[in-house]
Amino acid sequence: MFRNRSKSAVMSMSTVKEGPLFKKGKINTEWRERLFVLNKKQLAYFKGSKHSPSGVIEMKNIREVSDILEDGTFRVVTPNRTYEIKGSTKEETEQWIEVLRQIHQDHN
C-alpha cells in the first residue's frame, strides 16, 4: 500500500485535486479537517503538516461515491470501510464528488 509514501511523493503523482475536507473518524467520530490529495490512483489524507498520509484510499478499491446527503456529507465506500467526508460548502463537496466519480469510472 502507499501509506508509507511521503507527502511530496503522493503530491507528485499528477495531483488531480487537493484541498481541505472534513472527515469523520473511524474510532473518534468527531469531524476533523484533513488535507486531501487526489491523483488517478489514490485519495490520500494528511493530518496537519505530517509528511506521510494518515490514510490512503486506493481508487481501484472504491465501490461507490454517494450523492451529497441531507447533512452535506458524502460517503466513499470501500470493502473495508465507509468514509464520511464533507467540504466547507455544498459547492466544494459537489466538486469533490464529481471528480472522484470521474476517476472511479476509469477504474471500472
Side-chain angles (χ1 to χ4, degrees), residues 74-92:
F74 68 99
R75 293 189 177 118
V76 175
V77 180
T78 70
N80 299 321
R81 181 172 174 193
T82 297
Y83 296 84
E84 292 184 67
I85 303 169
K86 66 180 175 178
S88 57
T89 65
K90 181 179 178 183
E91 293 76 22
E92 181 182 39

Side-chain angles (χ1 to χ4, degrees), residues 2 5-18 36-46 53 56-60 62 96 99-100 102-104 106-107:
F2 293 83
R5 290 186 181 246
S6 71
K7 190 178 207 175
S8 59
V10 170
M11 294 181 88
S12 69
M13 296 174 75
S14 299
T15 299
V16 175
K17 187 167 181 62
E18 73 173 271
F36 278 76
V37 178
L38 174 66
N39 61 47
K40 298 258 183 203
K41 295 183 182 255
Q42 63 190 20
L43 175 63
Y45 53 93
F46 299 84
V56 175
I57 305 167
E58 299 290 336
M59 294 305 294
K60 66 183 180 185
I62 293 177
W96 274 95
V99 73
L100 281 165
Q102 288 171 354
I103 294 172
H104 177 250
D106 294 343
H107 286 274

Side-chain angles (χ1 to χ4, degrees), residues 46-83:
F46 299 84
K47 184 179 183 178
S49 61
K50 227 175 160 180
H51 293 289
S52 61
S54 297
V56 175
I57 305 167
E58 299 290 336
M59 294 305 294
K60 66 183 180 185
N61 293 334
I62 293 177
R63 300 291 179 250
E64 177 189 356
V65 178
S66 76
D67 289 331
I68 193 166
L69 304 172
E70 286 183 28
D71 63 357
T73 65
F74 68 99
R75 293 189 177 118
V76 175
V77 180
T78 70
N80 299 321
R81 181 172 174 193
T82 297
Y83 296 84

